[in-house]
Amino acid sequence: MGRGLSAAPVSPRLALGAAALVLLAAAALPSPAAGVNVTAVLSAFPNFADFARLLASTPVAGELAGRSSLTLLAVPNANLPQSPSAFVAGAGADIADVLRYHVLLEYLSPSDLARLSPSGKLVTTLFQTTGRAPSDFGTVNLTVGANSTVVVRSPAPSPGSNATVLGAVTAVPYNLSVLAVGGLILPSGFDLAASETRPPPPVNITRVLTDARGFNVAASMLQASGVASEFEADEHGAGITVFVPTDDAFAGLPATDRLQSLPAERKAVVLRFHVLHSYYPLGSLESIVNPVQPTLATEHTEAGHFTLNITRVNGSIAIDTGIVQASITRTVFDQNPVAVFAVSKVLLPKEMFSRGDSSSTAMVPPSVAMAPGDAGSEQTPQTRLSSPPDLHGEDSKSSAALATAKGTSWWCIGLMYLQLHLLLSLV
């Protein structure tokens, strides 16, 4: 009769080790109910850095953290518009809602796309859940196009943008699938007839600068000063042209140009000095008839003050303030009635800054750069009396002599103390 197998005793230490391995293995597996940090996933792919930055600049990235089983249609850097926010605003949409339109609430792998039926597949997007999408226009229709490519388009009968799926980027199985698409997809369903009769939405220039990269200082100054809010009214008039110094231009300011330490109202004057109250595309600036142009700062002072001299020098457009000459390095945004150009230097008005003997500039005293309305006000009286100029030298000599006399007196007192100590020791 054979003996049955008996289980060998297991040591408590071995049992605990096995249990720990099981727990570690379970922790390593992605939980199907957990959300994914989409921006962190995209950070491994530099070609999608701009799209990841757009997500992080809106509430959409946070909304995705609590969701699972979704597909993200990501746009490569090279396929994004130069200014995505301005491009979206021009269509009467919001950048956050457009990004939500790129989030499909269903996990789709490349093999799922290969099995699409000829009629296509309708998929709900995150935009549909906001309640702002008319009817079911917050969905996308995935159809098979020429050469077996998959095209993403709106199901709305009105014309809308579409994009081709370029391929798979990465995936967290059954949780997140990232597919590359050939461009931003704008949702349809807007009241096109009504949009033709109402004025276009104002361009958010601060957002344009943020999207364009390299203008962080200018964007933060405009936002903090409130000057950016003044542009909206100007856009509906003759338009505006904005000259924006790059971050390198701000970094290149000499230490004597204490721009950041200016009071808020004077800093706002410098910012307005970078704006023309007319829309000038690059071609118009190249052939400008009157080179002396008033700025928004001129409107807050008086005619003839805070003007820019715009000329053509060595094939490029030069902007002369009287103490600084900058050049336009590139077009950041150009869509009537707004033009935004990058400039190589910070435009410092001669009414507030003066050129010294060196190549750096120095601040003009506040009384010189005072607004015309304050020109007749009385000067603040001095609070400290000073000696006449011809007595300054005598004061210095007297102070030196007094210091010498005090030193001699203390030396004599010390000598007398030493002598007294010696006499007492002899007694």
Side-chain angles (χ1 to χ4, degrees):
M1 182 175 179
R3 280 189 298 178
L5 295 176
S6 59
V10 180
S11 67
R13 180 175 299 177
L14 184 59
L16 287 174
L21 288 175
V22 171
L23 290 175
L24 287 174
L29 294 174
S31 172
V36 173
N37 187 334
V38 176
T39 53
V41 171
L42 289 179
S43 65
F45 304 93
N47 288 341
F48 297 88
D50 293 346
F51 190 80
R53 184 168 48 82
L54 275 178
L55 282 173
S57 67
T58 66
V60 180
E63 294 170 8
L64 298 184
R67 288 185 172 271
S68 60
S69 297
L70 54 88
T71 300
L72 178 66
L73 306 178
V75 184
N77 299 341
N79 297 68
L80 275 174
Q82 187 175 36
S83 179
S85 298
F87 170 76
V88 168
D94 178 77
I95 186 64
D97 279 345
V98 170
L99 292 175
R100 292 183 181 102
Y101 198 58
H102 288 69
V103 179
L104 312 186
L105 302 184
E106 184 177 332
Y107 180 86
L108 295 173
S109 65
S111 58
D112 293 326
L113 299 182
R115 293 193 294 267
L116 286 176
S117 66
S119 59
K121 179 181 178 67
L122 205 62
V123 183
T124 302
T125 73
L126 189 60
F127 177 47
Q128 181 71 31
T129 66
T130 64
R132 289 186 291 273
S135 184
D136 63 345
F137 295 168
T139 62
V140 293
N141 195 7
L142 304 179
T143 58
V144 180
N147 300 321
S148 299
T149 58
V150 175
V151 180
V152 185
R153 56 168 51 90
S154 169
S158 57
S161 60
N162 57 65
T164 301
V165 176
L166 304 177
V169 179
T170 187
V172 179
Y174 311 112
N175 197 352
L176 171 68
S177 173
V178 181
L179 304 176
V181 292
L184 280 179
I185 312 165
L186 299 180
S188 298
F190 297 103
D191 190 350
L192 299 180
S195 64
E196 292 176 358
T197 59
R198 63 174 179 257
V203 176
N204 188 328
I205 293 180
T206 304
R207 182 173 288 176
V208 167
L209 297 178
T210 303
D211 292 344
R213 301 186 306 279
F215 302 97
N216 295 327
V217 177
S220 61
M221 287 181 67
L222 281 172
Q223 188 69 30
S225 65
V227 172
S229 62
E230 301 175 8
F231 296 160
E232 181 174 343
D234 295 314
E235 290 177 26
H236 294 314
I240 58 172
T241 301
V242 187
F243 302 113
V244 186
T246 62
D247 290 340
D248 291 338
F250 279 102
L253 277 174
T256 51
D257 300 336
R258 297 181 300 275
L259 179 60
Q260 295 294 348
S261 63
L262 286 176
E265 64 275 9
R266 291 168 63 79
K267 193 182 297 183
V269 173
V270 177
L271 294 174
R272 295 187 187 104
F273 186 61
H274 288 70
V275 183
L276 305 182
H277 194 180
S278 291
Y279 166 67
Y280 288 106
L282 192 62
S284 298
L285 288 176
E286 290 175 341
S287 58
I288 197 166
V289 177
N290 182 13
V292 179
Q293 288 292 317
T295 64
L296 290 189
T298 307
E299 298 179 5
H300 289 76
T301 54
E302 63 181 20
H305 287 72
F306 294 97
T307 59
L308 295 174
N309 193 355
I310 302 174
T311 56
R312 189 172 177 83
V313 177
N314 298 327
S316 62
I317 299 174
I319 304 172
D320 198 330
T321 73
I323 56 172
V324 173
Q325 187 176 81
S327 59
I328 292 179
T329 57
R330 67 184 177 98
T331 300
V332 180
F333 179 81
D334 186 356
Q335 181 177 315
N336 193 355
V338 178
V340 181
F341 301 103
V343 291
S344 59
K345 293 182 180 180
V346 180
L347 305 180
L348 303 176
K350 62 181 182 297
E351 289 84 356
M352 294 175 60
F353 296 79
S354 65
R355 176 72 67 183
D357 295 333
S358 64
S359 59
S360 65
T361 59
M363 285 292 298
V364 172
S367 59
V368 177
M370 192 178 301
D374 300 332
S377 61
E378 296 180 0
Q379 298 293 329
T380 303
Q382 291 183 344
T383 57
R384 181 183 300 174
L385 295 178
S386 59
S387 301
D390 56 339
L391 296 182
H392 286 176
E394 296 297 332
D395 289 345
S396 300
K397 293 178 182 178
S398 300
S399 299
L402 181 61
T404 304
K406 287 181 179 179
T408 305
S409 300
W410 282 110
W411 184 84
C412 292
I413 293 172
L415 182 60
M416 290 174 63
Y417 178 80
L418 180 60
Q419 289 176 347
L420 180 61
H421 181 72
L422 290 173
L423 287 174
L424 292 175
S425 63
L426 295 174
V427 177

